[in-house]
Amino acid sequence: MSQQGGRPTGHDDDWWGQLYDDSTGDAGPAPTADSLEDRFASAAETVNSAGPGEGEHPSPGPRPEEWWATGPQEPSPFADPPPAAEPAVVPRPAPPPRVGSGPPTYDAEPTALPAADPEGLDDLVADTVLDGARYGTCTLRAASVRGDSARYRGEPRRDAMLTARFGAGDQALVLVAMATGARTTPGAHRAAAEACRWIGQAVGRSHVRLAQDIRAARRGDLKSGLHRLTDRSLGRLRAAAAERGLRAEEYAAGLRCLLLPADPECRTRIFFGVGPGGLFRLRDGRWQDIEPAVGEVAGEAVVGFGSPRAATPPAPGTPGTAGATGAPGVPGVPTAPETAESPPPPYEPFRFRASVARPGDTLLMCTAGLAEPLRDEPALPAHLVERWSEPAPPGLAAFLADTQIRVKGYADDRTAAAVWEA
């Protein structure tokens, strides 16, 4: 090619003329569709027909016709979305097992919460309390559960429970206390909580001497000392009733306690208390009802705070004596009003038992809400024998489930503490 206006240089410019010469006809459109696949097929055919030259490497064979379709396919943005998956159905938890002749009256789960006072939120009581520990040779499980009836009616749990350790090491002493407030009386749950708190304070202040007496097996000293501590604790309930303008029976509670020394060399277990409930022992696959009978109790009934101890129980209503939880006539202790319609509350015997545990034993202390069906429905203790005969004690969740085994006709609060001996 020459400069503009220059002369042709010869054959070097032939290619330019061939390209732009009008005599060269246009090839025109291809007779078939000119797609990417067609171009690839044409190129492959040309290469294969020529064959490899000298020193050239043979070309690979043709790729599969649909080699590009073998990889993952991207979804089209215009495609219809897949149908939405149905929401997973979460199964409801199975109700606690039941024993007996028929299904219980109330639902297995809580229905209504107790009414709350915005100025008294500290007075609220949880539906369920669960605790546990292991000291020495024993493993403790404890639970307190609102009854089916109270759950349905929106009433607070009348049972209270306290678990506490006083001291450290082998000298420590573990206390389990449970109390039940009077039925159908306002503030029954407060009375039960105060009874547990006051006996806890009394035992805590005397835990060193109590632990020594337990290890030395001083049964007489233990019985009189614990009787006196229970006396004072329940006597304070009667004083509190008087301060609130209530009768003694309107602010009262039954109290049951268990003392467990942490010393692994001491297997003595101490039970004491006042009021209904149960004390059972599972030994060699059989339940034993070891609740101290009233006839087995030596000494007077529980008297009030500061009352002198007498050789024989005085008659109810005698001036200067006390009922189950108080001490009318004792100086310094307020007295609840007594009328002809409200006789003094009856005496409640003090119950005490010291027992030596064996390896494999299970000791069960409970309130009346569990003790009554254990005594009346044979299927319940049989079920617990099956559950608690394993070498290892149950975990907290399993123990809670065991205490909630339902029996038709028994819908009260349940509080239980069980001790497994290694």
Side-chain angles (χ1 to χ4, degrees), residues 22-42:
D22 294 339
S23 62
T24 305
D26 191 1
T32 59
D34 186 19
S35 64
L36 178 62
E37 291 85 351
D38 297 329
R39 295 187 180 186
F40 175 81
S42 176

Side-chain angles (χ1 to χ4, degrees), residues 36-322:
L36 178 62
E37 291 85 351
D38 297 329
R39 295 187 180 186
F40 175 81
S42 176
E45 181 180 359
T46 302
V47 172
N48 292 334
S49 61
E54 184 178 355
E56 296 180 355
H57 298 286
S59 62
R63 298 185 183 181
E65 185 176 356
E66 297 182 354
W67 61 271
W68 55 86
T70 58
Q73 300 294 315
E74 293 292 335
S76 172
F78 304 103
D80 295 334
E86 295 183 1
V89 178
V90 180
R92 296 183 61 185
R98 62 176 176 84
V99 295
S101 58
T105 304
Y106 301 99
D107 291 338
E109 299 298 334
T111 300
L113 291 172
D117 181 0
E119 303 301 327
L121 297 180
D122 292 342
D123 195 41
L124 294 178
V125 180
D127 177 90
T128 302
V129 177
L130 185 62
D131 207 350
R134 184 173 66 248
Y135 288 98
T137 60
C138 65
T139 299
L140 171 67
R141 298 287 182 262
S144 184
V145 183
R146 189 163 55 136
D148 292 345
S149 175
R151 285 176 164 181
Y152 177 78
R153 302 176 189 278
E155 298 173 352
R157 174 167 49 89
R158 292 186 296 113
D159 278 8
M161 184 181 74
L162 171 70
T163 53
R165 171 182 60 87
F166 303 106
D170 292 348
Q171 308 303 315
L173 185 65
V174 176
L175 166 69
V176 182
M178 55 186 67
T180 303
R183 188 186 298 273
T184 67
T185 57
H189 60 291
R190 287 190 291 269
E194 289 185 346
C196 289
R197 182 168 61 253
W198 287 333
I199 194 64
Q201 293 174 351
V203 169
R205 297 187 183 104
S206 306
H207 77 274
V208 175
R209 176 64 184 274
L210 289 170
Q212 292 173 351
D213 288 345
I214 293 175
R215 287 194 296 270
R218 301 188 185 105
R219 185 180 183 277
D221 293 344
L222 285 168
K223 184 175 181 180
S224 60
L226 293 172
H227 193 163
R228 184 164 54 253
L229 296 182
T230 306
D231 240 7
R232 296 175 178 177
S233 299
L234 294 184
R236 296 178 66 176
L237 280 182
R238 187 177 181 91
E243 293 174 356
R244 291 171 169 82
L246 302 174
R247 295 191 299 270
E249 62 271 19
E250 293 178 337
Y251 202 75
L255 179 64
R256 309 178 71 78
C257 302
L258 196 60
L259 292 178
L260 308 171
D263 187 352
E265 301 299 324
C266 180
R267 288 186 177 268
T268 303
R269 312 294 180 239
I270 302 297
F271 162 79
F272 66 96
V274 170
L279 184 66
F280 306 91
R281 180 171 57 202
L282 179 59
R283 174 176 289 177
D284 299 328
R286 298 183 60 185
W287 282 108
Q288 302 171 355
D289 191 343
I290 59 175
E291 173 82 5
V294 175
E296 299 176 5
V297 179
E300 72 276 23
V302 175
V303 293
F305 173 73
S307 300
R309 299 174 61 83
T312 57
T318 302
T321 63

